[in-house]
Amino acid sequence: EPEVTQTPSHQVTQMGQEVILRCVPISNHLYFYWYRQILGQKVEFLVSFYNNEISEKSEIFDDQFSVERPDGSNFTLKIRSTKLEDSAMYFCASSGSPGGATDTQYFGPGTRLTVL
Amino acid sequence: GQQLNQSPQSMFIQEGEDVSMNCTSSSIFNTWLWYKQDPGEGPVLLIALYKAGELTSNGRLTAQFGITRKDSFLNISASIPSDVGIYFCAGSVNSGGYQKVTFGTGTKLQVIP
């Protein structure tokens, strides 16, 4: 069964450093998302991406964040200058196979980001 | 923004018991989703509901989309130890051609063998 994959599984970085989190969505999906989950809390929407542009972003997704689909398979989340409060699990999700329900989002296993 | 209130926050049950959890919102959603999250992993979709009043089963799991479109419940029958995890409801609305999903606060389920 196709699945969303994410790398790395765990990223440790120093405050102020840039990080890039990588995702490979399900291959025929059209909509891509990033979510964040601070330890012990609920999953929070960050951004959605469709047709090579951001469809919507939350108030969490400030100028320090950016997303990119550099090729036909990868979808990345960049945090330019990490802060301590960016420490969280980051989940990528995808949805929208042609002819399918666009709202069934499938999640990757997540990247645990630890900012020291 | 839209908020989903999920209850209970946590529950301890004996293996074999049935479990019920629910989700309410002040806003209408056109799809309800239930996910399970195991520790250190991403949410896994359990059930998707697309129509008000819809009752859908997936093995021992049953979920319903409330008539008002503002609530949903999930039942797990005859719980087993591997049911342990956090269950999230999620509601979605159409937002400019794609579905915007809002997650509930989660219900942490512990099953005592």
Side-chain angles (χ1 to χ4, degrees), chain B residues 3-21:
Chain B
Q3 289 201 340
L4 295 182
N5 299 310
Q6 196 171 338
S7 64
Q9 277 190 315
S10 64
M11 47 198 318
F12 286 80
I13 59 167
Q14 291 284 342
E15 182 178 356
E17 286 183 351
D18 297 343
V19 173
S20 187
M21 58 192 80

Side-chain angles (χ1 to χ4, degrees), chain A residues 3 11 13 15 27 40 56-57 61 73 96-97 104 107-108:
Chain A
E3 58 182 18
Q11 173 93 47
T13 189
M15 191 169 59
S27 63
E56 188 160 354
K57 57 185 180 179
F61 194 89
S73 59
S97 54
T104 304
F107 283 74

Side-chain angles (χ1 to χ4, degrees), chain A residues 37 48 56 91 103-105, chain B residues 31 35 37 50 95 98-99:
Chain A
Q37 186 180 33
S48 61
E56 188 160 354
F91 294 107
D103 45 18
T104 304
Q105 297 184 15
Chain B
T31 302
Y35 288 88
Q37 186 178 28
Y50 300 107
S95 176
Y98 81 100
Q99 296 287 334

Side-chain angles (χ1 to χ4, degrees), chain A residues 28-61:
Chain A
N28 62 349
H29 280 182
L30 304 173
Y31 303 86
F32 314 111
Y33 311 84
W34 282 100
Y35 291 84
R36 179 183 82 174
Q37 186 180 33
I38 294 170
L39 185 65
Q41 298 185 24
K42 69 174 182 178
V43 178
E44 298 174 290
F45 169 78
L46 290 178
V47 67
S48 61
F49 192 86
Y50 169 70
N51 202 25
N52 282 319
E53 59 183 25
I54 290 175
S55 307
E56 188 160 354
K57 57 185 180 179
S58 71
E59 59 274 11
I60 303 168
F61 194 89

